[in-house]
Amino acid sequence: MKKKFIFLLGLFTTALTVAQTNTQSIRGTIVDKQSQSTLLGVNIVVLKSDPFKGATSDIDGKYLITEVMPGRYDLIASMIGYKEIIIPNVLVTSGKQVVIDIEMEENITTTDEVVVSATKNHETNNEMSTVSSRSFSMEEVNRYSGGMGDPARLAASFAGVVMPNDQRNDLVIRGNSPTGVLWRVDGLNVPNLNHFSALGSTGGPISALNTNILKNSDFMTSAFAPEYGNATAGVFDIGFRKGNSEKREHTIQFGAFTGLELMTEGPLNKGKGSSYMIAYRYSFTGLAQQAGFSIGTAANPQYQDLAFKISGGKTKLGTFSLFGLGGTSKINFLHNKIDSTDVFADPSSDSYSQSTIGLLGISHFISVGKKSFMKTVIGGNYSDNSYKQDTLNVNKENPSRIMELSSKETHYTLNTSFNSKINSRFNIKIGVIAELLDLDLLFKSRQYTPSWKNIWDFKGNTLLLQEYAQVKYALTQKLFVIGGLHAQQLTLNGSTSIEPRLALKLQATQKSAFSLGYGWHEQMQALTVYFYEAQNPDGTYNTSNKNLGFSRAQHFVLGYDFVPTNDWRIKTEVYAQVLSKIAISDTAKNSFSVLNEGASFIPTQQGSIANKGTGMNYGVELTLEKFFTKGYYGLLTASVYEAKYKGSDHIERNTAFNGRYTFNFLAGKEFKVGKEKRNAFTIDTKFTTAGGRHYTPVDLAASQFARKQLLQGDDYAYSQQLPNYYRLDIKFGFRYNSKKHKISHSIFFDLQNITRQKNVFAQQYNKVSNQINTTYQNGFLPNFVYKVQF
């Protein structure tokens, strides 16, 4: 440990002694958006710079702007034959070189139309995603109050998105279950990217994604482009950025909840443009607990993770990169180390949970002629989760094992695509994704029975194949259409689907646009559903759930986008989602539906189900956004929606996620300080309110008799609603840019739930008090972050 400290101190000292100037540079590569070919002669200018700052891209598409003072800037890139593009809110600090790669779109040559300038304000990286989609930057993830440096928590500020639980980052998108969300990292579909994750879920308490290594990414909430499959609720398309290929840079960050983070990056071969980047993080959550702040449990969660990317230079065989992520986490809930506010633990038992996650991939990019390219990703991801629970006697002694869970899940993936720019109007992309799922699942319990009972017991594999073709065609300079097909097949039971997708966008004026989208989307059931074993009266097990087909969702979206000025935006969308082929009970008339999967920590334990259920989500959303200019920003999002379903009894009910409304208001102001205005004091705030989750009330009399929680019958299913959720966060920060050295410091105090609002987590039967108790979500929670870059 001492040697590591001396090494880090040496890096820090080097930064203080080597740096010669107090300015920074902006550089990057400019390419054609459709063909990915480099562009020569693009003029890129720092707007309102004094003295004037700018550059022109060379034959390799590279540009370099030097001697830029620390601050926030807008860049503008222009070239004859291409749409002028504005890159807003570029943050320059003295501690890190700014690398911005730019994609430009070719004009459609006409004689009677006005060319519309483009802006990078939340324009998606994927040009095929135009409806219900936006990009987000890691600067936003770290800037917004209450975000905890988590991309999922940032997305909860967007219209139509709710995070119903302070303890986890599961996302409810337009009333859908969190299990319907797809996470993709550099082309690899990943089931879960969180510490303390569980089989069948997409969220967790703490994200394993380190925002210091991520690039700007896309988030979609409906009618996804054809290349995205096996999802019905939403899509996160995230990528690791390249390390700096010209100079070595380092980051040290400490956070009360995110822990200690160390990152280094730099060139491997400057001549070839190859680079490395590696980041490590270790948790210190226990420090916050020792300070007296509740995180929902008295247990001490421990986690660590490491991520890296090695980017090769351009060769005759193309460009290769290697990327990966690995993490471990564990937490023990002990009977003598809990308090009355503990959400998860049981005073009569001890439980032990640990998980391991990892992903590794090789990416290859190669140009095919001047207007086409191929991209292939080969890799895999792995998760290993275990949970063990022991019960204690009345004297809190003699532990006896009553539950064991072990789930090992490995995905081997091949994702390859061919992209071709036929001309300035017409672009096509076709691809194949093959995922081999290797599974080793065991879950058994004797919590309420004298002998062990299997819940899952499966060891084997299955293959999910996905194929897609999509085109973008510009009918005019202002009207274009995106369409295509997605198909998928699951070898576990022969399930297949063919899914049409279509989107239209009309740029009615330079300030307003209309969009219309339709998407047919199908998804596998959660693995916890497929492999549930229902015990028959004779002691044998029914495994008929393996025969379930895909769930289906048809999305309809109508949107209007108005940009009165370059830094203001108003957007509204109206949507409907028709759900069919939903798994419900096949042998009894009841309220069960997998649309409620993810509403609790307990996975579905229901056998004899079939794809006969239906559902409907519909709503309207509003976004009013002031982009970060003139030293301040603002974001207001509001959603009103309904989420309904029908079980096998054909009664329409609220889903567990039908909160009916959500509202967010975020704002922030940056005050430049110091003689040269190179430093800044920041204040950010966020207010959130949302409708409470629907639930089935506890049957107290039955629970008292059985000494375990039992819910009321189907007549009361999801008939009650938790109180509405309210939370106010305020974040203070200071950013210092050294005058003499290439080093910058940032300090943040993020005060979450400053009003100490007691948001209800659940109404649960407590066998100790023998009553229904109310458990609450996080109270006042202060977070501190210090970051230095050099």
Side-chain angles (χ1 to χ4, degrees):
M1 184 67 187
K2 183 177 179 181
K3 291 182 178 180
K4 291 182 179 179
F5 176 77
I6 294 173
F7 172 70
L8 292 172
L9 183 62
L11 291 176
F12 186 82
T13 305
T14 301
L16 292 177
T17 57
V18 172
Q20 301 296 321
T21 65
N22 60 0
T23 59
Q24 194 52 270
S25 58
I26 303 173
R27 68 174 184 85
T29 303
I30 305 177
V31 299
D32 181 285
K33 188 169 186 176
Q34 286 76 32
S35 68
Q36 293 294 296
S37 58
T38 57
L39 296 178
L40 167 67
V42 177
N43 296 313
I44 184 163
V45 173
V46 180
L47 293 179
K48 299 181 181 179
S49 55
D50 186 16
F52 171 84
K53 298 291 181 182
T56 302
S57 61
D58 62 18
I59 193 170
D60 296 317
K62 296 181 179 180
Y63 71 93
L64 173 65
I65 305 173
T66 59
E67 299 182 353
V68 181
M69 288 286 291
R72 291 185 187 270
Y73 301 94
D74 293 342
L75 308 181
I76 185 168
S78 60
M79 179 181 180
I80 295 175
Y82 281 79
K83 292 181 180 179
E84 184 179 85
I85 187 169
I86 299 173
I87 303 94
N89 189 34
V90 176
L91 177 61
V92 178
T93 66
S94 57
K96 185 170 180 57
Q97 188 180 62
V98 179
V99 180
I100 299 179
D101 295 329
I102 301 172
E103 296 180 337
M104 298 187 68
E105 188 174 354
E106 188 177 359
N107 283 327
I108 299 171
T109 305
T110 57
T111 59
D112 58 351
E113 294 180 290
V114 178
V115 174
V116 180
S117 296
T119 177
K120 288 293 288 183
N121 270 320
H122 301 139
E123 176 188 321
T124 56
N125 298 305
N126 188 335
E127 66 163 344
M128 299 288 184
S129 298
T130 59
V131 177
S132 301
S133 58
R134 64 176 289 160
S135 69
F136 60 94
S137 68
M138 293 310 108
E139 191 273 336
E140 290 175 300
V141 174
N142 293 317
R143 184 201 329 147
Y144 286 174
S145 180
M148 303 286 286
D150 184 346
R153 297 181 192 274
L154 166 71
S157 301
F158 300 155
V161 185
V162 182
M163 186 172 291
N165 184 347
D166 286 344
Q167 279 80 31
R168 294 175 58 88
N169 61 9
D170 301 90
L171 292 179
V172 173
I173 301 174
R174 293 183 170 176
N176 288 287
S177 165
T179 59
V181 178
L182 168 68
W183 287 82
R184 179 174 291 180
V185 178
D186 276 340
L188 295 181
N189 296 337
V190 184
N192 200 310
L193 283 165
N194 295 277
H195 292 291
F196 311 102
S197 59
L199 181 70
S201 67
T202 59
I206 300 167
S207 174
L209 289 170
N210 187 328
T211 56
N212 288 317
I213 68 168
L214 299 180
K215 62 183 180 182
N216 291 3
S217 303
D218 290 345
F219 177 62
M220 290 146 268
T221 59
S222 195
F224 329 126
E227 65 186 273
Y228 302 107
N230 199 33
T232 55
V235 175
F236 267 100
D237 194 347
I238 287 176
F240 290 179
R241 65 177 179 84
K242 297 178 181 179
N244 196 320
S245 60
E246 294 190 0
K247 59 179 295 190
R248 303 194 189 281
E249 297 177 326
H250 317 284
T251 299
I252 301 175
Q253 180 172 310
F254 175 80
F257 290 94
T258 55
L260 175 66
E261 301 181 32
L262 306 174
M263 188 186 79
T264 183
E265 60 183 296
L268 292 173
N269 187 315
K270 288 185 179 182
K272 295 183 178 180
S274 59
S275 66
Y276 71 90
M277 176 178 61
I278 184 169
Y280 173 75
R281 181 171 60 171
Y282 186 84
S283 69
F284 287 128
T285 312
L287 295 179
Q289 292 175 313
Q290 294 175 12
F293 299 107
S294 173
I295 61 171
T297 178
N300 180 21
Q302 302 176 42
Y303 64 90
Q304 59 183 323
D305 52 61
L306 181 144
F308 71 92
K309 185 169 187 176
I310 299 174
S311 302
K314 190 173 182 179
T315 69
K316 293 181 179 180
L317 298 177
T319 304
F320 293 86
S321 64
L322 176 68
F323 61 93
L325 179 152
T328 62
S329 54
K330 67 176 182 178
I331 186 169
N332 297 332
F333 300 101
L334 304 180
H335 70 279
N336 58 348
K337 294 184 179 181
I338 66 173
D339 56 38
S340 59
T341 64
D342 207 303
V343 172
F344 306 101
D346 182 341
S348 63
S349 68
D350 293 336
S351 56
Y352 311 89
S353 176
Q354 62 182 26
S355 66
T356 301
I357 58 173
L359 69 88
L360 181 68
I362 299 175
S363 177
H364 174 239
F365 173 94
I366 187 168
S367 295
V368 181
K370 295 182 178 180
K371 294 187 175 183
S372 304
F373 66 91
M374 288 191 68
K375 186 173 183 180
T376 301
V377 179
I378 300 175
N381 58 84
Y382 172 79
S383 67
D384 182 357
N385 304 298
S386 72
Y387 177 83
K388 299 176 181 179
Q389 184 175 343
D390 297 335
T391 189
L392 306 172
N393 63 22
V394 292
N395 296 319
K396 311 296 184 183
E397 298 173 339
N398 300 326
S400 175
R401 183 63 45 83
I402 60 171
M403 186 179 299
E404 287 189 5
L405 181 154
S406 174
S407 64
K408 297 178 181 179
E409 180 182 2
T410 306
H411 290 222
Y412 303 97
T413 302
L414 167 66
N415 184 345
T416 185
S417 63
F418 174 76
N419 300 256
S420 183
K421 178 182 178 181
I422 308 302
N423 54 47
S424 61
R425 292 179 179 271
F426 188 31
N427 187 42
I428 185 171
K429 181 178 183 180
I430 58 176
V432 175
I433 304 173
E435 290 183 78
L436 178 65
L437 284 65
D438 188 56
L439 307 171
D440 186 356
L441 312 177
L442 176 64
F443 184 14
K444 62 181 182 178
S445 173
R446 58 176 182 177
Q447 187 172 16
Y448 301 112
T449 57
S451 58
W452 288 101
K453 176 184 176 182
N454 284 346
I455 298 171
W456 318 317
D457 187 4
F458 177 81
K459 188 172 184 179
N461 56 66
T462 184
L463 179 67
L464 177 67
L465 292 172
Q466 301 179 65
E467 308 87 22
Y468 64 88
Q470 57 192 28
V471 298
K472 180 179 180 181
Y473 184 73
L475 299 171
T476 69
Q477 185 77 39
K478 298 180 180 180
L479 176 63
F480 61 83
V481 58
I482 296 173
L485 291 174
H486 179 97
Q488 61 186 30
Q489 307 86 37
L490 180 65
T491 62
L492 178 69
N493 53 30
S495 296
T496 62
S497 70
I498 298 177
E499 309 161 20
R501 318 276 177 88
L502 182 67
L504 294 167
K505 185 172 182 180
L506 171 64
Q507 190 74 44
T509 69
Q510 284 192 334
K511 296 183 177 182
S512 62
F514 294 90
S515 59
L516 179 67
Y518 168 76
W520 179 311
H521 308 278
E522 300 204 11
Q523 184 183 25
M524 291 173 55
Q525 308 300 325
L527 296 178
T528 55
V529 175
Y530 278 126
F531 300 111
Y532 174 73
E533 298 183 345
Q535 192 169 34
N536 298 316
D538 61 359
T540 60
Y541 289 93
N542 180 345
T543 59
S544 61
N545 284 7
K546 289 182 183 179
N547 299 321
L548 287 168
F550 300 137
S551 296
R552 178 181 298 164
Q554 296 187 70
H555 295 181
F556 303 84
V557 188
L558 176 64
Y560 175 70
D561 206 336
F562 179 59
V563 184
T565 65
N566 285 335
D567 53 0
W568 280 91
R569 181 191 193 190
I570 301 171
K571 182 178 181 179
T572 184
E573 287 193 338
V574 179
Y575 68 88
Q577 300 178 347
V578 180
L579 313 179
S580 59
K581 296 180 62 179
I582 306 303
I584 59 174
S585 178
D586 190 36
T587 58
K589 294 186 180 299
N590 57 36
S591 61
F592 171 78
S593 172
V594 294
L595 291 179
N596 299 306
E597 181 79 1
S600 70
F601 297 121
I602 302 173
T604 290
Q605 296 182 23
Q606 180 82 26
S608 301
I609 55 181
N611 297 95
K612 298 179 179 180
T614 59
M616 171 71 79
N617 303 328
Y618 56 91
V620 59
E621 299 170 355
L622 173 67
T623 298
L624 174 61
E625 187 164 12
K626 163 63 173 63
F627 302 124
F628 202 131
T629 60
K630 303 174 184 177
Y632 72 100
Y633 71 91
L635 174 64
L636 182 152
T637 63
S639 306
V640 179
Y641 63 96
E642 290 284 346
K644 302 282 190 176
Y645 81 98
K646 289 183 180 180
S648 58
D649 57 8
H650 304 294
I651 297 174
E652 185 176 70
R653 296 180 174 87
N654 297 301
T655 71
F657 309 107
N658 188 21
R660 293 200 171 96
Y661 85 94
T662 178
F663 174 88
N664 295 284
F665 175 73
L666 297 86
K669 173 67 177 175
E670 184 174 273
F671 303 90
K672 295 182 178 180
V673 295
K675 185 177 180 180
E676 298 179 355
K677 305 297 182 183
R678 60 190 298 116
N679 307 316
F681 172 76
T682 61
I683 180 170
D684 303 271
T685 186
K686 177 183 177 181
F687 171 72
T688 296
T689 178
R693 178 174 55 84
H694 278 81
Y695 68 99
T696 303
V698 173
D699 187 330
L700 180 58
S703 299
Q704 289 173 332
F705 179 79
R707 300 293 294 171
K708 65 178 181 179
Q709 178 167 290
L710 296 173
L711 304 181
Q712 295 186 28
D714 291 314
D715 291 342
Y716 300 92
Y718 303 103
S719 60
Q720 301 295 313
Q721 187 175 15
L722 295 176
N724 294 338
Y725 177 96
Y726 299 93
R727 180 169 141 179
L728 177 64
D729 304 330
I730 294 181
K731 183 176 183 179
F732 300 95
F734 180 72
R735 185 171 62 251
Y736 172 77
N737 292 292
S738 174
K739 294 181 180 180
K740 299 180 179 180
H741 308 289
K742 297 287 189 181
I743 185 170
S744 63
H745 304 262
S746 300
I747 301 175
F748 299 102
F749 294 91
D750 194 357
L751 309 179
Q752 301 175 26
N753 194 12
I754 62 170
T755 63
R756 301 178 184 270
Q757 176 72 26
K758 298 183 72 174
N759 291 303
V760 175
F761 175 75
Q763 298 279 346
Q764 299 173 320
Y765 169 72
N766 186 319
K767 63 182 180 181
V768 176
S769 65
N770 208 27
Q771 298 294 325
I772 298 174
N773 287 2
T774 301
T775 54
Y776 296 94
Q777 303 198 46
N778 288 344
F780 173 60
L781 193 65
N783 187 28
F784 165 79
V785 176
Y786 168 70
K787 181 178 182 177
V788 57
Q789 293 180 306
F790 54 95

